Amino acid sequence: MISQEDTKHIAKLARLGLKEAEIKKFQKELSSILNYFNLLKKVDVSNVEPTFHPGENYFKERLDIMRQDKAESEKPEKVNKLIEAAPDKKKRHIKVKAVFK
Amino acid sequence: MNNLTISQAHKGLLEKKFSALELTKLFLNKIKKQDKKISAFLTITDDLALSQAKQVDKLISDNKKIPILAGIPLAVKDNILVDGVKATCASKILENYIAPYDATCIKKLKQPGAVILGKTNLDEFAMGSSTEHSAFSPTKNPNDLTRVPGGSSGGSAAAVSADLCCYALGSDTGGSIRQPASFCGVVGLKPTYGAVSRYGLIAFASSLDQIGPITKTAEDAQIVFKAISGKDKKDSTSVELSETRVSVKLKDLRIGIPKEYFIKGMDSEVEKIIRQAIKKIQEIGAKVEEISLPHTEYGLAVYYLIMPSEASANLARYDGVKYGLSKSAKDLLNVYLDSRAGGFGDEVKRRIMLGTYALSAGYYDAYYLKAQKVRTLIKHDFDKAFNKVDAIFTPTSPFPAFKLGEKIKDPVSMYLSDIFTACVNLVGLPAVSMPVGFAGKLPVGLQIIGKPFEENKILEISKVYG
């Protein structure tokens, strides 16, 4: 069972402003899901490497795909649409709450 | 003009039995009349569809050769971007979000003249197995309106099953194309990881997500797969495919039946129908043998650790600043907290919490890293099996479509819906769900898993049941 304090901490890390009732609900639900994961304790993984990506073995040579660190220009219509999507803006700038006082 | 497949509709257009405009209007009218009871669609794109159809008719009247997908109406899962059309992911946080560009797969379909009818319902952010987690409305199974269509591509599968489109696009992270295809009685293909570009698919779990077709026949799935697959420089995990159509000699075919996929507690009707399907291919001449995938029982736990971990990172982008729902608050932190709390539904919050927990200091090794190591063992199981066999047959789901509301209150029991499909995503293999029978009036799907990039082979095999 994970504690209420831990649940609150996780919610804060996840940037979810949960209500007290939600914290209680998720505390219970997460505990039961985490309990299910105890199944994995049975598996011996000593000397086993992790697989972070399904392509790691099938297509190894394709894993490291790099491009030049150069900005690619986009058509102005697309740029306008991206700016248009922002909830708060001033002309062509996206407004964000001040980070520093 | 009922229940047309892609090839039949194409033939009809070539023979001028109907125009692309007539075909499109037929579907749009059907959607308007019949979708009220199914709720497969979130957005209907009349204007786009009609203008696309007119362009194809122009080509036909000019006696130009048209590609097979030209003028054929499809539906698109609402987590795939279509330029200028809403892409809600069935979430309040993207309720008014308009896609600023086309996903690569959409570009590849528009180019030969596909007709987009609308966007289909899903579990919010594709998180779920019933489409009940849609923030807008649950979709109902056309075979039985008291039951779920499966999920998360429930809207797409229901739309194809109810003949509200010729075919549809879905996405599959742990079974989200195959399980609804099975529940609705249609064909659903999850391609090999990397076969279809993910550019323009709203990211959920990036090492697992794949876009794929939901169709009425295996042949149609081959047609759509061919059109949408291939290398895309905007998705560096995408690859160029060399394989084209393959011919399969059933007599040379070795099929593996993993004993771990016939579990206690699975529906007896489903088991009977799957066993009959296996017998059928054996009678035609394929060699069938029992195999073992010993780490199967850990698959679901591994999936439910890796998927939420990746989701919690991907969904960090919804910050109330760049796009989507934004709640005003006294400072930036509270903009984040309130926008995310107000915009995400329960299941999305649950998975973000779970993923954040599995990745947090002190738990990373025990949960996330451990899961990635067990994933390696699951992969070894499949590698070993595919040394002996060409394809693996399993049920797509241990049970047919369940009742609306039956599992919604119990997350763990809902998660068990993915038990036969999730391992395939963990190792990136292609798999198809093919309808092979009915339990009462409820369709049952056979899952055929193939070697990497052998989509066409498993679809050829599927034709045995077509």
Side-chain angles (χ1 to χ4, degrees):
Chain A
M1 185 86 180
I2 70 171
S3 69
Q4 200 162 317
E5 279 316 299
D6 279 349
T7 313
K8 278 188 185 159
H9 177 62
I10 296 296
K12 198 179 161 209
L13 289 175
R15 298 289 186 260
L16 291 169
L18 301 182
K19 296 185 189 78
E20 277 301 315
E22 281 183 298
I23 293 284
K24 278 194 185 129
K25 185 170 78 93
F26 283 128
Q27 181 194 2
K28 217 176 106 220
E29 286 174 354
L30 292 185
S31 297
S32 99
I33 299 164
L34 291 171
N35 201 30
Y36 175 68
F37 295 151
N38 282 334
L39 183 70
L40 295 181
K41 288 196 176 134
K42 284 201 292 180
V43 195
D44 178 10
V45 290
S46 39
N47 303 317
V48 178
E49 291 295 319
T51 298
F52 290 107
H53 191 278
E56 271 175 38
N57 297 61
Y58 297 142
F59 19 89
K60 210 165 217 152
E61 76 280 8
R62 299 184 186 96
L63 257 192
D64 298 320
I65 292 167
M66 305 291 190
R67 62 166 174 83
Q68 292 253 303
D69 188 19
K70 253 180 17 196
E72 285 177 28
S73 63
E74 277 290 355
K75 286 186 193 139
E77 310 92 83
K78 185 165 163 185
V79 177
N80 287 341
K81 284 187 210 168
L82 293 172
I83 296 169
E84 200 45 51
D88 197 6
K89 51 203 164 281
K90 195 172 181 180
K91 291 184 181 164
R92 286 174 62 81
H93 299 279
I94 294 170
K95 275 173 83 175
V96 187
K97 287 262 180 211
V99 179
F100 302 107
K101 279 189 184 126
Chain B
M1 280 168 83
N2 269 332
N3 232 359
L4 289 175
T5 65
I6 294 170
S7 350
Q8 287 164 350
H10 178 63
K11 204 160 162 264
L13 289 173
L14 291 183
E15 290 170 357
K16 301 203 163 88
K17 281 190 182 147
F18 43 79
S19 68
L21 194 61
E22 284 166 342
L23 186 63
T24 301
K25 281 183 175 164
L26 174 96
F27 280 115
L28 288 173
N29 284 335
K30 258 181 128 168
I31 294 169
K32 255 154 236 167
K33 274 195 208 128
Q34 297 175 19
D35 195 45
K36 278 184 207 105
K37 52 181 206 265
I38 301 169
S39 304
F41 284 84
L42 290 175
T43 303
I44 302 164
T45 50
D46 305 63
D47 293 346
L48 176 65
L50 295 172
S51 79
Q52 286 170 326
K54 282 178 195 159
Q55 284 175 31
V56 175
D57 282 337
K58 173 107 189 11
L59 291 176
I60 296 172
S61 66
D62 290 349
N63 282 319
K64 297 249 168 66
K65 200 170 178 287
I66 55 161
I68 186 147
L69 289 172
I72 313 294
L74 78 142
V76 179
K77 189 177 181 180
D78 208 20
N79 60 351
I80 298 171
L81 304 190
V82 177
D83 192 6
V85 176
K86 272 207 269 182
T88 69
C89 255
S91 178
K92 291 276 179 207
I93 214 159
L94 288 177
E95 190 168 7
N96 298 307
Y97 177 68
I98 294 172
Y101 55 88
D102 279 327
T104 297
C105 63
I106 296 299
K107 219 181 213 172
K108 286 182 159 213
L109 290 175
K110 277 185 175 176
Q111 209 273 327
V115 172
I116 297 169
L117 297 169
K119 305 293 296 290
T120 56
N121 200 12
L122 61 151
D123 288 294
E124 184 177 358
F125 282 98
M127 297 180 183
S129 313
S130 69
T131 317
E132 290 166 293
H133 290 304
S134 164
F136 305 120
S137 126
T139 296
K140 285 155 196 152
N141 193 317
N143 296 278
D144 176 348
L145 296 175
T146 66
R147 289 176 189 267
V148 301
S152 65
S153 312
S156 285
V160 175
S161 169
D163 193 28
L164 302 180
C165 55
C166 269
Y167 70 101
L169 291 181
S171 68
D172 191 314
T173 303
S176 280
I177 286 174
R178 290 159 287 157
Q179 185 254 21
S182 171
F183 280 15
C184 291
V186 292
V187 181
L189 171 72
K190 184 211 90 81
T192 313
Y193 186 81
V196 179
S197 168
R198 290 177 292 115
Y199 182 72
L201 169 68
I202 295 177
F204 165 16
S206 301
S207 84
L208 307 164
D209 298 341
Q210 266 291 287
I211 294 170
I214 296 175
T215 57
K216 293 166 188 170
T217 64
E219 187 198 6
D220 280 2
Q222 287 176 320
I223 294 167
V224 181
F225 176 68
K226 193 178 172 199
I228 62 175
S229 56
K231 175 77 187 163
D232 172 19
K233 75 174 183 8
K234 288 182 163 150
D235 173 2
S236 55
T237 62
S238 66
V239 296
E240 201 53 72
L241 305 182
S242 52
E243 197 200 25
T244 46
R245 289 286 170 102
V246 288
S247 67
V248 174
K249 285 201 191 76
L250 284 171
K251 285 204 169 20
D252 301 334
L253 208 60
R254 294 159 306 166
I255 288 160
I257 313 295
K259 59 174 189 227
E260 293 82 4
Y261 280 67
F262 291 84
I263 51 172
K264 215 170 65 187
M266 81 180 273
D267 185 275
S268 62
E269 270 296 298
V270 170
E271 178 164 4
K272 205 175 98 192
I273 290 161
I274 297 299
R275 297 262 184 220
Q276 278 166 357
I278 294 167
K279 209 169 151 216
K280 181 171 177 186
I281 202 155
Q282 197 167 17
E283 282 166 2
I284 305 174
K287 286 178 198 71
V288 173
E289 58 183 286
E290 188 182 90
I291 57 166
S292 175
L293 299 167
H295 295 91
T296 298
E297 68 164 308
Y298 309 113
L300 202 65
V302 170
Y303 173 72
Y304 272 93
L305 277 163
I306 292 170
M307 170 273 293
S309 298
E310 294 186 8
S312 72
N314 270 327
L315 271 63
R317 72 190 64 187
Y318 302 98
D319 57 2
V321 173
K322 301 186 289 289
Y323 46 79
L325 181 86
S326 184
K327 299 259 186 192
S328 52
K330 62 179 195 313
D331 55 21
L332 186 61
L333 176 64
N334 278 286
V335 172
Y336 296 155
L337 294 175
D338 295 355
S339 301
R340 292 165 63 78
F344 291 137
D346 252 15
E347 182 60 24
V348 176
K349 286 177 186 166
R350 194 178 292 123
R351 294 196 194 189
I352 291 175
M353 291 285 286
L354 197 56
T356 306
Y357 183 83
L359 291 174
S360 64
Y363 299 103
Y364 177 91
D365 283 1
Y367 288 107
Y368 181 70
L369 192 62
K370 175 90 188 235
Q372 300 286 30
K373 287 180 177 175
V374 182
R375 185 185 198 175
T376 305
L377 297 174
I378 294 169
K379 192 186 167 302
H380 289 166
D381 286 355
F382 279 99
D383 289 348
K384 237 187 255 174
F386 278 122
N387 282 333
K388 288 204 295 185
V389 299
D390 303 297
I392 295 172
F393 280 24
T394 81
T396 304
S397 161
F399 37 73
F402 46 87
K403 294 255 183 203
L404 284 144
E406 190 181 320
K407 295 182 194 288
I408 194 89
K409 290 268 183 289
D410 180 0
V412 175
S413 105
M414 185 71 93
Y415 296 170
L416 286 170
S417 305
D418 300 330
I419 195 155
F420 293 155
T421 47
C423 282
V424 172
N425 298 72
L426 290 172
V427 297
L429 296 170
V432 58
S433 178
M434 185 70 192
V436 292
F438 286 86
K441 58 179 172 180
L442 302 175
V444 173
L446 168 73
Q447 175 172 243
I448 306 179
I449 308 168
K451 294 181 188 176
F453 305 109
E454 291 195 348
E455 285 79 1
N456 277 312
K457 190 171 186 173
I458 54 174
L459 288 167
E460 275 310 306
I461 299 170
S462 303
K463 289 177 186 172
V464 168
Y465 306 100

